[in-house]
């Protein structure tokens, strides 16, 4: 994973939350060193209130949300990360569309999920509603209007790390490669 403040190589970041940065020319390939960095703001979201006491110690309440994303966040983020959460989603389609909806044009989503091919035990984890191979993650991203720019299996042991950008208007969605379908069927 990336250390906060160091350059980000696509597909190699692993922190949870949202990031809004200043003008585009000021942030290419950077993750903020801390929430207080001038021109950079960190935002957090979770599906429960578990982390609110912690978040309130270092971020104002308008920079975090529980249960529902804040409508005013739509289309305002340069970076959105999802770190080992998508596999728990009841509605993967809605979650990926929400991620896409948060991104500014030119923004990047980083998604980290368990690699079911490398870690077959993932298939029996009771709270994992979804299981991913590299082709299935690419297809899930594409189905929800995100274009995978990099998908890596070697970056994080037992995980697939992907970076994705909003698909351009009119861009054709990815069509599954028959070899990918055959490989996914063997895995699952």
């Amino acid at each position: 994973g990336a250390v906060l403040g160091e350059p980000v190589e696509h597909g190699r970041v692993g922190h949870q939350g949202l990031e809004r940065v200043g003008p585009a020319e000021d942030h290419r390939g950077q993750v903020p060193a801390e929430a207080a960095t001038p021109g950079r703001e960190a935002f957090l979201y979770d599906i429960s209130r578990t982390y609110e006491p912690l978040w309130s110690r270092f971020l104002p309440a308008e920079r975090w949300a529980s249960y529902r994303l804040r409508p005013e966040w739509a289309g305002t983020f340069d970076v959105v990360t999802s770190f080992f959460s998508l596999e728990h989603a009841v509605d993967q389609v809605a979650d990926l569309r929400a991620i896409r909806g948060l991104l500014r044009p030119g923004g990047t989503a980083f998604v980290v999920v368990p690699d079911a091919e490398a870690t077959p035990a993932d298939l029996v984890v009771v709270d994992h509603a979804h299981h991913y191979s590299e082709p299935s993650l690419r297809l899930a991203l594409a189905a929800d209007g995100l274009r995978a720019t990099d998908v890596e299996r070697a970056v994080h042991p037992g995980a697939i790390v992907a970076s994705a950008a909003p698909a351009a208007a009119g861009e054709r969605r990815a069509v599954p490669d028959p070899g990918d379908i055959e490989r996914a069927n063997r895995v699952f």
Side-chain angles (χ1 to χ4, degrees):
V3 176
L4 296 180
E6 290 185 4
V8 173
E9 294 175 37
H10 284 290
R12 297 173 191 256
V13 70
H15 65 94
Q16 202 165 1
L18 313 170
E19 173 190 346
R20 185 180 300 144
V21 186
E25 62 274 7
D26 291 344
H27 77 280
R28 294 292 168 204
Q30 296 292 315
V31 174
E34 55 186 87
T37 302
R40 293 185 165 101
E41 299 174 281
F43 292 73
L44 299 168
Y45 169 78
D46 194 68
I47 59 169
S48 74
R49 297 196 138 159
T50 303
Y51 301 105
E52 288 181 0
L54 172 66
W55 295 346
S56 67
R57 294 184 356 214
F58 63 91
L59 282 178
E62 64 271 8
R63 297 216 340 239
W64 45 266
S66 298
Y67 298 114
R68 293 191 178 167
L69 293 167
R70 295 176 184 267
E72 63 269 22
W73 290 359
T76 65
F77 291 96
D78 296 288
V79 175
V80 176
T81 63
S82 172
F83 189 75
F84 291 107
S85 61
L86 196 56
E87 66 275 9
H88 299 275
V90 173
D91 188 346
Q92 159 190 282
V93 172
D95 285 10
L96 286 168
R97 285 189 182 145
I99 289 171
R100 185 193 68 217
L102 290 168
L103 291 169
R104 288 182 187 180
T108 301
F110 291 99
V111 176
V112 182
V113 295
D115 181 347
E117 190 172 359
T119 313
D122 178 64
L123 297 171
V124 296
V125 176
V126 72
D127 67 342
H128 287 190
H130 305 280
H131 306 282
Y132 296 96
S133 63
E134 181 181 334
S136 71
L137 181 57
R138 285 181 184 277
L139 290 171
L141 293 167
D144 297 306
L146 292 164
R147 179 180 29 82
T149 54
D150 190 22
V151 179
E152 298 283 342
R153 292 181 66 214
V155 173
H156 187 298
I160 303 169
V161 180
S163 59
E171 184 176 330
R172 289 185 59 201
R173 297 216 170 156
V175 176
D177 176 272
D180 286 344
I181 294 171
E182 183 180 325
R183 182 171 148 228
N185 285 335
R186 281 194 315 267
V187 172
F188 301 114

